């Protein structure tokens, strides 16, 4: 899946968001700090591809804010080395 933006959430919030996103048919994946090193310990990232504007508005409303831009894998690799 192409990755465009994400929302960091606590482990306890992740199941709630997963249920709502599944009900709406919104594509996403969940990543841990091992997958996305910019995450704080104890957080998960709910990661989204580019989605239609109407769907993004629904997601933005669900999370009460704009998503964070998913890091460019090249710049992430650069920071890790």
């Amino acid at each position: 899946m192409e990755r465009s933006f994400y929302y960091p959430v606590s482990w306890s919030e992740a199941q709630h968001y997963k249920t709502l996103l599944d009900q709406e048919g919104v594509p996403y994946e969940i990543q841990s700090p091992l997958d996305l090193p910019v995450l704080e310990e104890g957080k998960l990232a709910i990661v989204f591809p580019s989605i239609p504007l109407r769907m993004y508005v629904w997601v933005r409303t669900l999370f009460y804010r704009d998503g964070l831009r998913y890091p460019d894998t090249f710049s992430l690799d650069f920071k890790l080395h």
Side-chain angles (χ1 to χ4, degrees):
M1 175 181 88
E2 162 237 352
R3 296 172 182 106
S4 180
F5 65 98
Y6 72 99
Y7 290 92
V9 298
S10 69
W11 283 75
S12 60
E13 296 171 315
Q15 183 60 47
H16 171 72
Y17 286 120
K18 180 182 179 329
T19 299
L20 294 172
L21 292 165
D22 287 345
Q23 287 174 351
E24 288 296 315
V26 178
Y28 69 93
E29 66 182 36
I30 296 177
Q31 293 187 336
S32 74
L34 293 174
D35 304 312
L36 185 58
V38 297
L39 284 176
E40 296 176 22
E41 192 63 34
K43 295 281 189 176
L44 294 172
I46 300 181
V47 182
F48 298 88
S50 292
I51 54 177
L53 182 58
R54 176 174 266 165
M55 189 177 287
Y56 179 77
V57 169
W58 185 89
V59 169
R60 185 183 184 282
T61 302
L62 177 66
F63 287 94
Y64 302 105
R65 64 187 189 276
D66 286 321
L68 302 173
R69 189 173 68 82
Y70 195 85
D72 179 0
T73 53
F74 293 113
S75 63
L76 184 59
D77 286 342
F78 179 75
K79 291 176 188 174
L80 294 175
H81 291 104

